[in-house]
Amino acid sequence: MDVSAVDALVVAIAGLVVGAIGAGLGWWAAVRVRRVREAQRQLFGGGRRDLVDFAVSLQGRIDDLHGAVDEVAAGLARVDRRVDGTVTNTSIVRYDAYEDTGGHQSASLALLDSARSGVIVTAIQGRDYARIYMKELERGRASVALSPEEQEAVERAMGR
């Protein structure tokens, strides 16, 4: 079979076009691969690890972070318990204990924690004497009955 010069020229041009398209596709693929590698370098911080190693290291960091958050939460719970047990609610009620005195010289002082536990100190002033009484409160209950002024000091201290 004889191939004419025109047929040979057509085949040569077709081969040249197919080769040019192949070279163009190869160049495009190389550019895409280079971009993907750059993105991987940025993601991995320049190391030569694979994606599985990176994911495992991220999971380890996340686990460490969860542990740190749990420690902080436990510490806050301890602080909350300590704060709840401190004297945070105070109030003073001044009054005249006796009719013949003036100037609100008597007073009841409530020093309580958040659970209504603490101490009430009452100072009763008369013309020629002074008396001090202390009453203990445990969760809002006193071992000895409270006077109206002492009860008012407790209510004011607890914000009610």
Side-chain angles (χ1 to χ4, degrees), residues 22-63:
L25 286 175
W27 176 80
W28 178 79
V31 168
R32 295 286 297 158
V33 166
R34 188 177 322 125
R35 286 183 185 164
V36 167
R37 284 187 180 160
E38 274 183 41
Q40 284 178 338
R41 260 186 254 133
Q42 287 178 355
L43 183 67
F44 295 138
R48 302 280 272 156
R49 301 178 300 176
D50 65 0
L51 195 56
V52 173
D53 291 339
F54 184 69
V56 168
S57 72
L58 277 181
Q59 185 62 47
R61 285 185 191 166
I62 290 171
D63 291 343

mmCIF file of all heavy atoms in Angstrom, residues 22-63:
data_model
loop_
_atom_site.group_PDB
_atom_site.id
_atom_site.type_symbol
_atom_site.label_atom_id
_atom_site.label_comp_id
_atom_site.label_asym_id
_atom_site.label_seq_id
_atom_site.Cartn_x
_atom_site.Cartn_y
_atom_site.Cartn_z
ATOM 1 N N GLY A 22 -1.113 16.839 24.092
ATOM 2 C CA GLY A 22 -0.537 16.034 25.181
ATOM 3 C C GLY A 22 0.457 16.833 26.001
ATOM 4 O O GLY A 22 0.474 16.757 27.237
ATOM 5 N N ALA A 23 1.305 17.628 25.310
ATOM 6 C CA ALA A 23 2.271 18.456 26.034
ATOM 7 C C ALA A 23 1.550 19.500 26.883
ATOM 8 O O ALA A 23 1.939 19.783 28.033
ATOM 9 C CB ALA A 23 3.228 19.126 25.057
ATOM 10 N N GLY A 24 0.493 20.092 26.345
ATOM 11 C CA GLY A 24 -0.289 21.086 27.102
ATOM 12 C C GLY A 24 -0.941 20.464 28.327
ATOM 13 O O GLY A 24 -0.932 21.043 29.418
ATOM 14 N N LEU A 25 -1.510 19.280 28.175
ATOM 15 C CA LEU A 25 -2.114 18.585 29.314
ATOM 16 C C LEU A 25 -1.068 18.209 30.359
ATOM 17 O O LEU A 25 -1.313 18.299 31.570
ATOM 18 C CB LEU A 25 -2.862 17.338 28.836
ATOM 19 C CG LEU A 25 -4.190 17.594 28.123
ATOM 20 C CD1 LEU A 25 -4.765 16.275 27.594
ATOM 21 C CD2 LEU A 25 -5.184 18.264 29.048
ATOM 22 N N GLY A 26 0.108 17.805 29.894
ATOM 23 C CA GLY A 26 1.190 17.477 30.829
ATOM 24 C C GLY A 26 1.627 18.703 31.629
ATOM 25 O O GLY A 26 1.849 18.629 32.847
ATOM 26 N N TRP A 27 1.758 19.848 30.939
ATOM 27 C CA TRP A 27 2.134 21.087 31.625
ATOM 28 C C TRP A 27 1.070 21.487 32.649
ATOM 29 O O TRP A 27 1.365 21.850 33.770
ATOM 30 C CB TRP A 27 2.331 22.195 30.583
ATOM 31 C CG TRP A 27 2.631 23.532 31.222
ATOM 32 C CD1 TRP A 27 3.803 23.971 31.704
ATOM 33 C CD2 TRP A 27 1.687 24.582 31.444
ATOM 34 N NE1 TRP A 27 3.679 25.230 32.232
ATOM 35 C CE2 TRP A 27 2.371 25.630 32.072
ATOM 36 C CE3 TRP A 27 0.339 24.735 31.155
ATOM 37 C CZ2 TRP A 27 1.758 26.820 32.435
ATOM 38 C CZ3 TRP A 27 -0.263 25.926 31.519
ATOM 39 C CH2 TRP A 27 0.443 26.950 32.153
ATOM 40 N N TRP A 28 -0.230 21.400 32.253
ATOM 41 C CA TRP A 28 -1.337 21.733 33.155
ATOM 42 C C TRP A 28 -1.326 20.821 34.385
ATOM 43 O O TRP A 28 -1.511 21.283 35.505
ATOM 44 C CB TRP A 28 -2.652 21.609 32.395
ATOM 45 C CG TRP A 28 -3.859 21.898 33.246
ATOM 46 C CD1 TRP A 28 -4.341 23.089 33.616
ATOM 47 C CD2 TRP A 28 -4.713 20.912 33.845
ATOM 48 N NE1 TRP A 28 -5.444 22.943 34.410
ATOM 49 C CE2 TRP A 28 -5.697 21.591 34.571
ATOM 50 C CE3 TRP A 28 -4.741 19.512 33.833
ATOM 51 C CZ2 TRP A 28 -6.692 20.936 35.278
ATOM 52 C CZ3 TRP A 28 -5.742 18.880 34.538
ATOM 53 C CH2 TRP A 28 -6.705 19.590 35.254
ATOM 54 N N ALA A 29 -1.090 19.522 34.184
ATOM 55 C CA ALA A 29 -1.045 18.571 35.304
ATOM 56 C C ALA A 29 0.122 18.900 36.236
ATOM 57 O O ALA A 29 0.003 18.827 37.463
ATOM 58 C CB ALA A 29 -0.943 17.144 34.792
ATOM 59 N N ALA A 30 1.272 19.266 35.662
ATOM 60 C CA ALA A 30 2.430 19.613 36.488
ATOM 61 C C ALA A 30 2.144 20.842 37.344
ATOM 62 O O ALA A 30 2.517 20.898 38.526
ATOM 63 C CB ALA A 30 3.651 19.844 35.596
ATOM 64 N N VAL A 31 1.493 21.845 36.776
ATOM 65 C CA VAL A 31 1.139 23.050 37.542
ATOM 66 C C VAL A 31 0.182 22.687 38.675
ATOM 67 O O VAL A 31 0.337 23.148 39.810
ATOM 68 C CB VAL A 31 0.531 24.124 36.604
ATOM 69 C CG1 VAL A 31 -0.116 25.250 37.385
ATOM 70 C CG2 VAL A 31 1.585 24.666 35.662
ATOM 71 N N ARG A 32 -0.815 21.866 38.392
ATOM 72 C CA ARG A 32 -1.778 21.451 39.441
ATOM 73 C C ARG A 32 -1.083 20.681 40.553
ATOM 74 O O ARG A 32 -1.348 20.909 41.725
ATOM 75 C CB ARG A 32 -2.887 20.599 38.819
ATOM 76 C CG ARG A 32 -3.774 21.297 37.838
ATOM 77 C CD ARG A 32 -4.757 22.233 38.461
ATOM 78 N NE ARG A 32 -5.673 21.476 39.305
ATOM 79 C CZ ARG A 32 -6.369 21.986 40.286
ATOM 80 N NH1 ARG A 32 -6.285 23.263 40.554
ATOM 81 N NH2 ARG A 32 -7.167 21.255 41.007
ATOM 82 N N VAL A 33 -0.179 19.763 40.194
ATOM 83 C CA VAL A 33 0.548 18.984 41.205
ATOM 84 C C VAL A 33 1.417 19.905 42.064
ATOM 85 O O VAL A 33 1.500 19.755 43.281
ATOM 86 C CB VAL A 33 1.389 17.872 40.534
ATOM 87 C CG1 VAL A 33 2.386 17.280 41.506
ATOM 88 C CG2 VAL A 33 0.470 16.784 39.986
ATOM 89 N N ARG A 34 2.060 20.897 41.443
ATOM 90 C CA ARG A 34 2.888 21.839 42.182
ATOM 91 C C ARG A 34 2.031 22.621 43.187
ATOM 92 O O ARG A 34 2.434 22.823 44.335
ATOM 93 C CB ARG A 34 3.596 22.795 41.232
ATOM 94 C CG ARG A 34 4.622 23.659 41.954
ATOM 95 C CD ARG A 34 5.418 24.587 41.040
ATOM 96 N NE ARG A 34 5.772 23.998 39.762
ATOM 97 C CZ ARG A 34 5.478 24.532 38.570
ATOM 98 N NH1 ARG A 34 4.810 25.675 38.509
ATOM 99 N NH2 ARG A 34 5.820 23.942 37.450
ATOM 100 N N ARG A 35 0.841 23.055 42.786
ATOM 101 C CA ARG A 35 -0.050 23.786 43.688
ATOM 102 C C ARG A 35 -0.511 22.903 44.848
ATOM 103 O O ARG A 35 -0.590 23.353 45.989
ATOM 104 C CB ARG A 35 -1.257 24.305 42.921
ATOM 105 C CG ARG A 35 -0.935 25.474 42.027
ATOM 106 C CD ARG A 35 -2.170 25.985 41.343
ATOM 107 N NE ARG A 35 -1.844 27.036 40.398
ATOM 108 C CZ ARG A 35 -2.651 27.457 39.450
ATOM 109 N NH1 ARG A 35 -3.842 26.894 39.300
ATOM 110 N NH2 ARG A 35 -2.283 28.421 38.638
ATOM 111 N N VAL A 36 -0.824 21.662 44.554
ATOM 112 C CA VAL A 36 -1.243 20.739 45.614
ATOM 113 C C VAL A 36 -0.098 20.516 46.600
ATOM 114 O O VAL A 36 -0.299 20.509 47.813
ATOM 115 C CB VAL A 36 -1.735 19.399 45.009
ATOM 116 C CG1 VAL A 36 -1.880 18.328 46.076
ATOM 117 C CG2 VAL A 36 -3.052 19.600 44.287
ATOM 118 N N ARG A 37 1.127 20.362 46.099
ATOM 119 C CA ARG A 37 2.278 20.174 46.992
ATOM 120 C C ARG A 37 2.519 21.406 47.865
ATOM 121 O O ARG A 37 2.868 21.283 49.029
ATOM 122 C CB ARG A 37 3.518 19.831 46.178
ATOM 123 C CG ARG A 37 3.498 18.412 45.693
ATOM 124 C CD ARG A 37 4.789 18.037 45.031
ATOM 125 N NE ARG A 37 4.725 16.654 44.567
ATOM 126 C CZ ARG A 37 5.500 16.150 43.649
ATOM 127 N NH1 ARG A 37 6.412 16.906 43.068
ATOM 128 N NH2 ARG A 37 5.380 14.892 43.293
ATOM 129 N N GLU A 38 2.346 22.596 47.290
ATOM 130 C CA GLU A 38 2.500 23.817 48.082
ATOM 131 C C GLU A 38 1.462 23.873 49.192
ATOM 132 O O GLU A 38 1.775 24.220 50.334
ATOM 133 C CB GLU A 38 2.353 25.056 47.193
ATOM 134 C CG GLU A 38 3.616 25.480 46.508
ATOM 135 C CD GLU A 38 3.398 26.750 45.700
ATOM 136 O OE1 GLU A 38 2.694 27.666 46.200
ATOM 137 O OE2 GLU A 38 3.932 26.819 44.583
ATOM 138 N N ALA A 39 0.235 23.504 48.858
ATOM 139 C CA ALA A 39 -0.822 23.494 49.873
ATOM 140 C C ALA A 39 -0.513 22.474 50.957
ATOM 141 O O ALA A 39 -0.717 22.736 52.147
ATOM 142 C CB ALA A 39 -2.166 23.196 49.218
ATOM 143 N N GLN A 40 0.024 21.317 50.586
ATOM 144 C CA GLN A 40 0.399 20.305 51.575
ATOM 145 C C GLN A 40 1.527 20.804 52.468
ATOM 146 O O GLN A 40 1.511 20.590 53.677
ATOM 147 C CB GLN A 40 0.828 19.009 50.879
ATOM 148 C CG GLN A 40 -0.310 18.207 50.340
ATOM 149 C CD GLN A 40 0.178 16.960 49.607
ATOM 150 O OE1 GLN A 40 1.325 16.893 49.164
ATOM 151 N NE2 GLN A 40 -0.700 15.985 49.491
ATOM 152 N N ARG A 41 2.511 21.476 51.887
ATOM 153 C CA ARG A 41 3.620 22.018 52.684
ATOM 154 C C ARG A 41 3.110 23.026 53.700
ATOM 155 O O ARG A 41 3.545 23.037 54.846
ATOM 156 C CB ARG A 41 4.665 22.647 51.778
ATOM 157 C CG ARG A 41 5.836 21.715 51.547
ATOM 158 C CD ARG A 41 6.933 22.382 50.763
ATOM 159 N NE ARG A 41 6.820 21.774 49.436
ATOM 160 C CZ ARG A 41 6.815 22.398 48.291
ATOM 161 N NH1 ARG A 41 6.973 23.671 48.229
ATOM 162 N NH2 ARG A 41 6.667 21.765 47.160
ATOM 163 N N GLN A 42 2.181 23.870 53.273
ATOM 164 C CA GLN A 42 1.617 24.839 54.204
ATOM 165 C C GLN A 42 0.818 24.131 55.295
ATOM 166 O O GLN A 42 0.871 24.501 56.456
ATOM 167 C CB GLN A 42 0.729 25.835 53.470
ATOM 168 C CG GLN A 42 1.503 26.825 52.645
ATOM 169 C CD GLN A 42 0.584 27.774 51.882
ATOM 170 O OE1 GLN A 42 -0.627 27.625 51.914
ATOM 171 N NE2 GLN A 42 1.187 28.736 51.203
ATOM 172 N N LEU A 43 0.088 23.097 54.922
ATOM 173 C CA LEU A 43 -0.721 22.357 55.884
ATOM 174 C C LEU A 43 0.153 21.606 56.878
ATOM 175 O O LEU A 43 -0.109 21.606 58.072
ATOM 176 C CB LEU A 43 -1.637 21.378 55.138
ATOM 177 C CG LEU A 43 -2.594 20.567 55.992
ATOM 178 C CD1 LEU A 43 -3.630 21.487 56.622
ATOM 179 C CD2 LEU A 43 -3.278 19.508 55.153
ATOM 180 N N PHE A 44 1.210 20.980 56.407
ATOM 181 C CA PHE A 44 2.065 20.176 57.271
ATOM 182 C C PHE A 44 3.193 20.965 57.894
ATOM 183 O O PHE A 44 3.981 20.432 58.663
ATOM 184 C CB PHE A 44 2.659 18.997 56.495
ATOM 185 C CG PHE A 44 1.636 18.004 56.035
ATOM 186 C CD1 PHE A 44 1.709 17.460 54.764
ATOM 187 C CD2 PHE A 44 0.604 17.612 56.854
ATOM 188 C CE1 PHE A 44 0.773 16.544 54.333
ATOM 189 C CE2 PHE A 44 -0.334 16.704 56.427
ATOM 190 C CZ PHE A 44 -0.252 16.164 55.162
ATOM 191 N N GLY A 45 3.321 22.216 57.567
ATOM 192 C CA GLY A 45 4.393 23.026 58.145
ATOM 193 C C GLY A 45 5.747 22.707 57.547
ATOM 194 O O GLY A 45 6.767 22.846 58.208
ATOM 195 N N GLY A 46 5.809 22.253 56.333
ATOM 196 C CA GLY A 46 7.080 21.997 55.668
ATOM 197 C C GLY A 46 7.636 20.605 55.901
ATOM 198 O O GLY A 46 8.659 20.245 55.346
ATOM 199 N N GLY A 47 6.979 19.794 56.730
ATOM 200 C CA GLY A 47 7.473 18.439 57.004
ATOM 201 C C GLY A 47 7.161 17.485 55.871
ATOM 202 O O GLY A 47 6.438 17.791 54.941
ATOM 203 N N ARG A 48 7.701 16.281 55.967
ATOM 204 C CA ARG A 48 7.494 15.273 54.910
ATOM 205 C C ARG A 48 6.593 14.155 55.431
ATOM 206 O O ARG A 48 6.796 12.996 55.089
ATOM 207 C CB ARG A 48 8.830 14.678 54.461
ATOM 208 C CG ARG A 48 9.824 15.659 53.950
ATOM 209 C CD ARG A 48 9.644 16.099 52.565
ATOM 210 N NE ARG A 48 10.244 15.346 51.519
ATOM 211 C CZ ARG A 48 9.740 15.400 50.293
ATOM 212 N NH1 ARG A 48 8.671 16.093 50.054
ATOM 213 N NH2 ARG A 48 10.337 14.776 49.322
ATOM 214 N N ARG A 49 5.634 14.486 56.280
ATOM 215 C CA ARG A 49 4.744 13.449 56.805
ATOM 216 C C ARG A 49 3.561 13.257 55.865
ATOM 217 O O ARG A 49 3.246 14.132 55.071
ATOM 218 C CB ARG A 49 4.220 13.862 58.177
ATOM 219 C CG ARG A 49 5.332 14.097 59.191
ATOM 220 C CD ARG A 49 4.790 14.540 60.506
ATOM 221 N NE ARG A 49 4.053 15.790 60.336
ATOM 222 C CZ ARG A 49 3.395 16.397 61.293
ATOM 223 N NH1 ARG A 49 3.369 15.876 62.486
ATOM 224 N NH2 ARG A 49 2.760 17.517 61.071
ATOM 225 N N ASP A 50 2.877 12.142 56.023
ATOM 226 C CA ASP A 50 1.681 11.957 55.216
ATOM 227 C C ASP A 50 0.446 12.417 56.001
ATOM 228 O O ASP A 50 0.536 12.788 57.168
ATOM 229 C CB ASP A 50 1.545 10.506 54.752
ATOM 230 C CG ASP A 50 1.336 9.533 55.893
ATOM 231 O OD1 ASP A 50 1.289 9.961 57.059
ATOM 232 O OD2 ASP A 50 1.207 8.328 55.616
ATOM 233 N N LEU A 51 -0.668 12.400 55.356
ATOM 234 C CA LEU A 51 -1.889 12.942 55.936
ATOM 235 C C LEU A 51 -2.345 12.153 57.161
ATOM 236 O O LEU A 51 -2.871 12.723 58.107
ATOM 237 C CB LEU A 51 -2.985 12.960 54.864
ATOM 238 C CG LEU A 51 -4.217 13.798 55.149
ATOM 239 C CD1 LEU A 51 -3.832 15.236 55.438
ATOM 240 C CD2 LEU A 51 -5.185 13.744 53.987
ATOM 241 N N VAL A 52 -2.135 10.860 57.188
ATOM 242 C CA VAL A 52 -2.539 10.038 58.331
ATOM 243 C C VAL A 52 -1.735 10.428 59.563
ATOM 244 O O VAL A 52 -2.290 10.594 60.660
ATOM 245 C CB VAL A 52 -2.374 8.536 58.012
ATOM 246 C CG1 VAL A 52 -2.632 7.694 59.249
ATOM 247 C CG2 VAL A 52 -3.310 8.122 56.884
ATOM 248 N N ASP A 53 -0.400 10.592 59.414
ATOM 249 C CA ASP A 53 0.423 11.028 60.549
ATOM 250 C C ASP A 53 -0.032 12.383 61.058
ATOM 251 O O ASP A 53 -0.092 12.626 62.266
ATOM 252 C CB ASP A 53 1.900 11.114 60.145
ATOM 253 C CG ASP A 53 2.509 9.752 59.894
ATOM 254 O OD1 ASP A 53 1.950 8.757 60.396
ATOM 255 O OD2 ASP A 53 3.539 9.695 59.196
ATOM 256 N N PHE A 54 -0.366 13.270 60.143
ATOM 257 C CA PHE A 54 -0.820 14.599 60.530
ATOM 258 C C PHE A 54 -2.133 14.513 61.302
ATOM 259 O O PHE A 54 -2.311 15.166 62.325
ATOM 260 C CB PHE A 54 -0.975 15.474 59.282
ATOM 261 C CG PHE A 54 -1.346 16.884 59.591
ATOM 262 C CD1 PHE A 54 -0.438 17.740 60.204
ATOM 263 C CD2 PHE A 54 -2.595 17.366 59.258
ATOM 264 C CE1 PHE A 54 -0.780 19.047 60.489
ATOM 265 C CE2 PHE A 54 -2.943 18.674 59.540
ATOM 266 C CZ PHE A 54 -2.030 19.518 60.154
ATOM 267 N N ALA A 55 -3.071 13.703 60.824
ATOM 268 C CA ALA A 55 -4.360 13.548 61.504
ATOM 269 C C ALA A 55 -4.170 12.936 62.891
ATOM 270 O O ALA A 55 -4.822 13.352 63.853
ATOM 271 C CB ALA A 55 -5.295 12.682 60.662
ATOM 272 N N VAL A 56 -3.265 11.963 63.019
ATOM 273 C CA VAL A 56 -3.002 11.349 64.321
ATOM 274 C C VAL A 56 -2.420 12.381 65.279
ATOM 275 O O VAL A 56 -2.805 12.444 66.449
ATOM 276 C CB VAL A 56 -2.061 10.129 64.158
ATOM 277 C CG1 VAL A 56 -1.530 9.658 65.495
ATOM 278 C CG2 VAL A 56 -2.800 8.999 63.451
ATOM 279 N N SER A 57 -1.492 13.207 64.789
ATOM 280 C CA SER A 57 -0.912 14.221 65.677
ATOM 281 C C SER A 57 -1.959 15.258 66.080
ATOM 282 O O SER A 57 -1.975 15.706 67.227
ATOM 283 C CB SER A 57 0.279 14.903 65.008
ATOM 284 O OG SER A 57 -0.141 15.770 63.974
ATOM 285 N N LEU A 58 -2.857 15.614 65.161
ATOM 286 C CA LEU A 58 -3.937 16.533 65.513
ATOM 287 C C LEU A 58 -4.859 15.918 66.562
ATOM 288 O O LEU A 58 -5.289 16.598 67.498
ATOM 289 C CB LEU A 58 -4.749 16.904 64.279
ATOM 290 C CG LEU A 58 -4.198 18.016 63.398
ATOM 291 C CD1 LEU A 58 -5.142 18.267 62.232
ATOM 292 C CD2 LEU A 58 -3.985 19.286 64.172
ATOM 293 N N GLN A 59 -5.164 14.640 66.419
ATOM 294 C CA GLN A 59 -6.021 13.978 67.412
ATOM 295 C C GLN A 59 -5.348 13.967 68.775
ATOM 296 O O GLN A 59 -5.997 14.177 69.792
ATOM 297 C CB GLN A 59 -6.358 12.550 66.958
ATOM 298 C CG GLN A 59 -7.339 11.852 67.882
ATOM 299 C CD GLN A 59 -8.673 12.548 67.948
ATOM 300 O OE1 GLN A 59 -9.234 12.914 66.929
ATOM 301 N NE2 GLN A 59 -9.186 12.761 69.142
ATOM 302 N N GLY A 60 -4.035 13.762 68.805
ATOM 303 C CA GLY A 60 -3.307 13.809 70.071
ATOM 304 C C GLY A 60 -3.385 15.187 70.708
ATOM 305 O O GLY A 60 -3.578 15.314 71.921
ATOM 306 N N ARG A 61 -3.246 16.225 69.888
ATOM 307 C CA ARG A 61 -3.355 17.591 70.412
ATOM 308 C C ARG A 61 -4.746 17.861 70.953
ATOM 309 O O ARG A 61 -4.914 18.492 71.996
ATOM 310 C CB ARG A 61 -3.048 18.600 69.314
ATOM 311 C CG ARG A 61 -1.605 18.733 68.968
ATOM 312 C CD ARG A 61 -1.474 19.850 67.967
ATOM 313 N NE ARG A 61 -0.168 19.916 67.369
ATOM 314 C CZ ARG A 61 0.106 20.626 66.296
ATOM 315 N NH1 ARG A 61 -0.846 21.316 65.714
ATOM 316 N NH2 ARG A 61 1.323 20.658 65.800
ATOM 317 N N ILE A 62 -5.757 17.386 70.242
ATOM 318 C CA ILE A 62 -7.132 17.584 70.692
ATOM 319 C C ILE A 62 -7.367 16.851 72.003
ATOM 320 O O ILE A 62 -8.000 17.386 72.920
ATOM 321 C CB ILE A 62 -8.130 17.137 69.598
ATOM 322 C CG1 ILE A 62 -8.073 18.122 68.426
ATOM 323 C CG2 ILE A 62 -9.552 17.035 70.142
ATOM 324 C CD1 ILE A 62 -8.841 17.680 67.210
ATOM 325 N N ASP A 63 -6.848 15.636 72.133
ATOM 326 C CA ASP A 63 -6.985 14.890 73.386
ATOM 327 C C ASP A 63 -6.301 15.632 74.531
ATOM 328 O O ASP A 63 -6.842 15.711 75.642
ATOM 329 C CB ASP A 63 -6.400 13.484 73.239
ATOM 330 C CG ASP A 63 -7.232 12.607 72.299
ATOM 331 O OD1 ASP A 63 -8.399 12.957 72.028
ATOM 332 O OD2 ASP A 63 -6.690 11.582 71.825
#
